[in-house]
Amino acid sequence: MKLDKLFDRPIAFHRVFVSLDIGITGALLLSQSIYWSRRCSDDNGWFFKNAAEWEEETGMTRREQETARKRLKAAGFIHEELRGVPATLNFKVDFDAILEALRLSESANQVSTKAQNQFQQKRESSLHKSAKPASTKRRNKSVVNEQTNIKKDYYRDYTETTTENITTEADATVEPMTVVAPNGMVYEIPGELKYPGEDTKTHKAWIAYAIAYERRYGAWPVWNAMVAGQISKFIDRVGVDNAPYVAVHYVRRVNEQFVVQQMHPVKLLLSDAEKWLTQAQTNRTVTRTEAQQADKSQSNLNTAQAAADLARQIIAKREREDQEDAAGGGHAE
């Protein structure tokens, strides 16, 4: 094998994406997607790649690609769309969803690192105290006791560090987010929920959804990387201006059994986004029962129209026969 084949063109890989729970293949595909989205000719960032090209560039099999794409789509990091004739699969990177997910991941890592550092400091301190010189006469017994003490210190320090970390984080909680609703009501959203800030794409839609959710269920909805991606995709489908009031309509007025049973999750807000938009614009909801009744009424109407058409055909046929009989009788005379 020649060296130029062994060390062929390297590809982009951003290690930080591994922290987003999308796996190594997901991080690799996302890194390469960002590379191409910045080099495409489409103004909106859409680019085309088939499975063979992905495999040639990344070495991933078709199955690995499908798994990676599924994870990226579920997180809202990429969008897919069939375009052209014959149709080809195009991709677009959602940078807002990625940045929001990285922000959440970084906050979680900072808390984890802080706890680990505190634990390590306490453990080293315990080891130092436990390592005092012992007399030669009781050396063996001291070693056993020292090991036992280290184990006790280990578990005690772990508990103390965990408790201390919780207390420290509670003390360091950010100030509540104050939001003024269009009707003038002021809401205080707990800062530890880490909702997106005013400078983010998802802020207005998510805050509208969250307030409506809290008023209906008495608890604030969870915000995480998955939800951030779903809200971002929802905004893309209904428009940034429509998204807040559509989200409020969905939580307050939609009472379909399947939605209520799941307590109005964001995934259902996204799955039927256009439906909720139409309902919000027309100020009317359609329940499953109403839909079934409408379908039944339409079916009855279709049956009645078919019967009327048949009756008209029979009458027209009889009239033609009568005219033919009358014409035949006149000719005979």
Side-chain angles (χ1 to χ4, degrees):
M1 179 181 292
K2 295 182 178 180
L3 286 179
D4 60 343
K5 294 293 184 181
L6 183 60
F7 302 107
D8 57 358
R9 182 174 61 88
I11 63 172
F13 179 76
H14 300 288
R15 171 65 178 78
V16 69
F17 293 157
V18 179
S19 64
L20 300 181
D21 295 328
I22 55 178
I24 295 295
T25 55
L28 176 58
L29 191 65
L30 182 58
S31 298
Q32 196 67 353
S33 296
I34 291 176
Y35 173 86
W36 286 115
S37 68
R38 291 177 173 176
R39 289 163 175 77
C40 63
S41 58
D42 186 88
D43 293 336
N44 295 319
W46 288 95
F47 65 94
F48 161 74
K49 283 284 177 182
N50 58 37
E53 290 173 329
W54 281 126
E55 183 171 1
E56 181 181 358
E57 293 179 7
T58 65
M60 287 191 291
T61 64
R62 182 181 294 271
R63 186 172 183 177
E64 289 173 330
Q65 294 174 36
E66 291 175 352
T67 300
R69 285 170 45 207
K70 183 177 180 180
R71 289 175 176 174
L72 295 178
K73 288 190 294 182
F77 298 156
I78 65 169
H79 306 291
E80 295 182 357
E81 184 176 295
L82 289 173
R83 292 185 171 188
V85 179
T88 56
L89 188 59
N90 288 254
F91 303 89
K92 179 182 178 182
V93 177
D94 193 324
F95 289 95
D96 289 331
I98 295 172
L99 291 174
E100 183 61 29
L102 288 173
R103 185 183 69 82
L104 294 174
S105 176
E106 183 179 2
S107 298
N109 288 336
Q110 289 175 351
V111 172
S112 177
T113 302
K114 185 177 181 181
Q116 291 175 2
N117 290 339
Q118 290 175 343
F119 173 77
Q120 186 64 26
Q121 291 172 1
K122 284 182 173 290
R123 186 169 183 272
E124 290 175 355
S125 176
S126 297
L127 289 173
H128 179 71
K129 292 178 181 178
S130 302
K132 292 180 179 179
S135 64
T136 306
K137 183 177 179 181
R138 303 182 60 187
R139 181 177 179 82
N140 293 336
K141 185 176 180 181
S142 297
V143 171
V144 173
N145 290 337
E146 182 179 326
Q147 292 175 346
T148 303
N149 290 334
I150 290 175
K151 290 182 179 179
K152 290 181 179 179
D153 290 338
Y154 179 90
Y155 291 110
R156 183 177 69 250
D157 287 343
Y158 176 80
T159 304
E160 291 176 354
T161 301
T162 304
T163 304
E164 181 179 343
N165 178 61
I166 293 174
T167 303
T168 302
E169 288 304 314
D171 294 339
T173 299
V174 296
E175 292 295 322
M177 178 186 293
T178 303
V179 178
V180 181
N183 61 2
M185 285 194 68
V186 179
Y187 295 88
E188 281 196 354
I189 301 175
E192 59 267 22
L193 293 175
K194 299 185 184 302
Y195 283 179
E198 295 182 0
D199 57 341
T200 62
K201 166 186 175 181
T202 57
H203 173 73
K204 290 184 178 179
W206 175 251
I207 293 301
Y209 170 86
I211 291 176
Y213 189 96
E214 194 277 337
R215 292 187 65 182
R216 178 160 189 158
Y217 293 108
W220 293 101
V222 175
W223 176 260
N224 53 39
M226 181 71 74
V227 172
Q230 292 172 340
I231 284 290
S232 179
K233 293 171 70 174
F234 165 70
I235 293 173
D236 291 339
R237 288 173 61 173
V238 303
V240 66
D241 294 329
N242 295 329
Y245 78 84
V246 174
V248 172
H249 164 85
Y250 166 73
V251 176
R252 289 186 181 178
R253 301 200 59 198
V254 173
N255 293 305
E256 296 184 14
Q257 183 178 2
F258 180 69
V259 177
V260 174
Q261 285 177 341
Q262 297 198 46
M263 301 180 72
H264 292 79
V266 178
K267 64 179 182 180
L268 296 183
L269 172 65
L270 171 63
S271 64
D272 286 328
E274 292 78 12
K275 174 182 175 180
W276 312 134
L277 172 61
T278 301
Q279 289 186 2
Q281 290 175 334
T282 59
N283 198 30
R284 182 174 181 273
T285 60
V286 179
T287 64
R288 183 184 297 273
T289 300
E290 291 174 333
Q292 291 174 344
Q293 290 175 344
D295 184 65
K296 184 177 180 180
S297 299
Q298 184 62 47
S299 178
N300 292 337
L301 178 60
N302 292 341
T303 302
Q305 290 177 341
D309 291 340
L310 180 60
R312 284 193 292 269
Q313 292 174 6
I314 293 174
I315 293 174
K317 181 179 179 182
R318 288 179 178 176
E319 289 178 348
R320 287 196 301 272
E321 291 175 349
D322 292 340
Q323 291 176 356
E324 291 173 355
D325 290 343
H331 179 71
E333 293 178 356

